[in-house]
């Protein structure tokens, strides 16, 4: 009895479950038998050398990239193949990109309201009001009517975060959200992400920002050559990495 | 020149027909050409092939032949319209293939990352297209579209050979009435086309400035 209820408890806590996920690009084996579970409210930082498959992992989670085999379950539901059902489920998984990818012909506010109005069917007035709250939350209340080209990189990325939040996602994916930013803008974006993590949002963050990982992450996942090599708490991972590959990777990024 | 002034209502009527042919086939070509462009980029291979086939065949056929197919071919299939309608069909079929390629180049100029972002917030294919891709694609292709529509304006003159009383056919008729007026008539007609196409260019460049996205 005890075992069953434990299992149920754990089962219901898993927001994301990847099992035996395989992905090839032609002959290149990019994701090698990935198994990963993320609990509700957990913040996981994914770290690893260039080309190790971190972006592909993120994109596989919301099926921007189809996988060869294995399953991706979000909140217990397996991701369907292409189609309306996929689009709906995908809207539960927010994504923030390295290059922001704001819709360049729409204002900051319209970027945030597009999804709620078109996908969730919210009334425009209601969507506007909520979008303004979100822009306020990321510190951009006064930029609602600005076009993306009129915003700095850091501001664009914060709008992109607001756009993702507007869908009220169950899970947020960040693929190197600060790598394209000038140093002085990195912290304004990380501050927003730390605040989000503190509010209980489930997040998977591909980032080499060690400060963020130590402050906000519950777990660090280290990937190399398409495999998850090591999983540990941030303190353990950065101070006492166990695998040889993680040690060598850390010595490289720390020597800069 | 007196003859030109004397016949001004007939000449104006001819140009009015030119304007009607241009506007109607222009609007229809824009719609149909956009549908073709969407077919050519959609994820369904048979639709892509159909779009590519259409463009390859029609774009490489002389407009006069398209007119012949429309005005003489369609009646054989028991399809009977007025000559004006046949002219509009021919012009639309032909111009759509050019609009398609222009719009497709506009679609390809939209940043792949934005399309991905649209999919990531859960927009299905149609809405990604309608909300993110096409609005940006059209903004990018207003100048080349202008050229396509200028060509269309002048292509309406092919209708002369198919019994439609547009500007060029009026020119021919009047010329036959008074051979000495040939030169003034030619100049007037040429000027008329220039006025029409300049107006078109002017409207489109105003439109371009109005919808330009700050970059
Ligand atoms: N669309 C694609 N077609 C072919 N190969 C691809 C494609 N996308 C990625 N790859 C390859 O798959 C591998 C993993 O790429 P991925 O972008 O996931 O790595 P990454 O860990 O995110 O790297 P980075 O830190 O540089 O962003 C790389 O070798 C890359 O070249
Ligand atoms: Mg990457």
């Amino acid at each position: 009895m005890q075992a069953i209820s434990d299992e149920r408890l754990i089962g219901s806590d898993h927001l994301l479950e990847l099992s035996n996920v395989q992905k090839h690009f032609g002959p290149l084996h990019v994701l090698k038998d990935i198994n990963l579970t993320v609990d509700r409210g957990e913040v996981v930082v994914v770290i690893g050398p260039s080309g190790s498959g971190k972006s592909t992992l993120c994109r596989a989670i919301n099926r921007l990239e189809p996988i060869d085999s294995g399953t991706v379950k979000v909140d217990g539901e397996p991701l369907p193949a292409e189609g309306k059902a996929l689009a709906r489920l995908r809207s539960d998984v927010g994504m923030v990109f390295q290059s922001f990818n704001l819709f360049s012909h729409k204002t900051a506010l319209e970027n945030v309201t597009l999804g709620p109005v078109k996908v969730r069917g919210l009334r425009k007035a209601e969507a506007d009001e909520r979008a303004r709250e979100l822009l306020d939350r990321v510190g951009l209340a006064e930029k609602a009517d600005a076009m993306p080209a009129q915003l700095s990189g850091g501001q664009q990325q914060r709008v992109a975060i607001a756009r993702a939040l507007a869908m009220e996602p169950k899970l947020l994916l960040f693929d190197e959200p600060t790598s394209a930013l000038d140093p002085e803008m990195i912290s304004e974006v990380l501050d927003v992400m730390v605040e989000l993590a503190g509010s209980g949002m489930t997040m998977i963050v591909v980032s080499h920002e060690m400060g963020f990982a130590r402050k906000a992450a519950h777990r660090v996942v280290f990937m190399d050559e398409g495999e998850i090599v090591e999983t540990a708490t941030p303190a353990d991972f950065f101070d006492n990495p166990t695998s040889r590959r993680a040690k060598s990777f850390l010595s490289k990024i720390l020597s800069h | 020149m007196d003859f030109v002034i004397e016949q001004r209502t007939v000449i104006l009527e001819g140009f009015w027909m030119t304007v009607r042919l241009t506007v109607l086939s222009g609007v229809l070509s824009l719609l149909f050409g956009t549908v073709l462009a969407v077919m050519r980029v959609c994820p369904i291979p048979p639709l892509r092939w159909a779009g590519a086939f259409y463009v390859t065949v029609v774009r490489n056929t002389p407009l006069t032949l398209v007119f012949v197919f429309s005005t003489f071919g369609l009646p054989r299939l028991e399809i009977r319209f007025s000559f004006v309608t046949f002219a509009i069909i021919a012009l639309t079929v032909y111009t759509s293939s050019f609009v398609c390629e222009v719009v497709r180049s506009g679609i390809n100029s939209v940043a792949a990352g934005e399309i991905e972002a649209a999919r990531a917030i859960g927009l299905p294919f149609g809405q990604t297209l309608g909300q993110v891709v096409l609005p940006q694609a059209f903004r990018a292709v207003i100048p080349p579209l202008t050229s396509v529509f200028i060509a269309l304006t002048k292509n309406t003159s092919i209708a002369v050979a198919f019994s439609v009383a547009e500007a060029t056919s009026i020119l021919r008729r009047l010329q036959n009435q008074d051979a000495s007026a040939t030169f003034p008539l030619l100049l007037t007609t040429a000027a008329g086309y220039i006025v029409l196409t300049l107006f078109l260019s002017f409207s489109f460049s105003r439109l371009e400035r109005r919808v330009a996205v700050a970059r």
Side-chain angles (χ1 to χ4, degrees), chain A:
Chain A
M1 272 319 265
Q2 189 60 42
I4 291 168
S5 63
D6 269 1
E7 206 169 88
R8 264 197 212 145
L9 204 66
I10 294 164
S12 71
D13 252 14
H14 288 168
L15 183 63
L16 176 72
E17 277 185 76
L18 301 183
S19 18
N20 312 108
V21 171
Q22 307 275 0
K23 170 77 189 175
H24 292 80
F25 282 120
L28 192 67
H29 201 168
V30 195
L31 295 179
K32 297 178 183 157
D33 197 31
I34 299 289
N35 290 286
L36 178 68
T37 53
V38 177
D39 291 346
R40 228 172 278 281
E42 198 180 9
V43 176
V44 174
V45 163
V46 179
I47 197 167
S50 180
S52 56
K54 308 177 298 292
S55 297
T56 310
L57 178 70
C58 278
R59 298 159 54 80
I61 291 173
N62 64 356
R63 250 193 214 261
L64 284 175
E65 202 71 74
I67 55 176
D68 300 340
S69 63
T71 53
V72 177
K73 281 188 190 170
V74 177
D75 213 359
E77 277 188 80
L79 277 188
E82 278 299 332
K84 279 254 161 35
L86 173 64
R88 186 179 50 76
L89 217 67
R90 190 143 60 193
S91 65
D92 289 338
V93 181
M95 182 142 181
V96 175
F97 302 85
Q98 179 173 357
S99 47
F100 331 134
N101 295 343
L102 291 184
F103 307 130
S104 48
H105 61 306
K106 292 188 182 289
T107 64
L109 189 77
E110 290 165 346
N111 264 273
V112 181
T113 56
L114 183 66
V117 171
K118 295 294 168 189
V119 179
R120 297 267 193 259
L122 238 62
R123 294 232 323 284
K124 183 161 180 311
E126 199 181 331
D128 276 0
E129 190 188 320
R130 285 200 20 222
R132 285 185 196 281
E133 283 166 22
L134 286 170
L135 286 175
D136 189 38
R137 184 170 172 191
V138 298
L140 291 172
E142 76 288 3
K143 295 290 185 188
D145 298 318
M147 299 302 283
Q150 299 164 326
L151 299 172
S152 73
Q155 291 170 333
Q156 289 190 51
Q157 194 61 298
R158 285 183 284 153
V159 173
I161 293 173
R163 173 175 71 181
L165 287 174
M167 300 306 291
E168 302 186 319
K170 295 173 178 167
L171 167 70
L172 264 184
L173 307 169
F174 293 79
D175 189 3
E176 308 208 28
T178 57
S179 314
L181 295 175
D182 292 336
E184 71 268 27
M185 296 173 191
I186 291 179
S187 65
E188 69 187 46
V189 171
L190 289 179
D191 287 348
V192 169
M193 290 169 58
V194 169
E195 186 264 327
L196 267 178
S199 75
M201 173 62 75
T202 313
M203 295 161 57
I204 295 180
V205 183
V206 176
S207 173
H208 294 171
E209 293 291 336
M210 222 179 292
F212 172 80
R214 283 182 188 272
K215 207 186 300 178
H218 301 105
R219 233 181 339 150
V220 171
V221 167
F222 174 69
M223 283 185 78
D224 191 22
E225 294 179 356
E227 289 171 310
I228 293 183
V229 179
E230 190 169 338
T231 303
T233 63
D236 280 348
F237 179 77
F238 292 118
D239 300 335
N240 300 302
T242 53
S243 63
R244 186 188 45 76
R245 287 197 266 181
K247 280 178 193 159
S248 126
F249 173 73
L250 282 175
S251 72
K252 273 181 213 142
I253 62 167
L254 290 177
S255 66
H256 289 305

Side-chain angles (χ1 to χ4, degrees), chain B residues 41-146:
Chain B
V41 300
C42 83
I44 305 162
L47 287 181
R48 284 208 301 272
W49 300 330
F53 179 77
Y54 180 96
V55 170
T56 311
V57 170
V58 175
R59 201 166 54 144
N60 297 315
T61 306
L63 176 56
T64 323
L65 265 182
V66 179
F67 260 97
V68 170
F69 276 117
S70 172
T71 22
F72 302 120
L74 291 181
R76 291 232 166 158
L77 302 173
E78 299 297 317
I79 300 170
R80 300 193 191 282
F81 294 129
S82 66
F83 281 120
V84 174
T85 310
F86 282 133
I88 289 172
I89 290 174
L91 288 166
T92 302
V93 163
Y94 183 76
T95 310
S96 297
S97 66
F98 290 88
V99 170
C100 165
E101 290 306 277
V102 166
V103 171
R104 191 166 68 99
S105 78
I107 291 176
N108 290 335
S109 76
V110 177
E114 290 187 36
I115 299 173
E116 232 161 46
R119 292 168 62 205
I121 58 172
L123 290 181
F125 178 78
Q127 286 189 343
T128 300
L129 211 60
Q131 296 295 322
V132 176
V133 179
L134 288 181
Q136 295 194 59
F138 282 124
R139 281 174 169 83
V141 300
I142 290 176
L145 265 188
T146 311

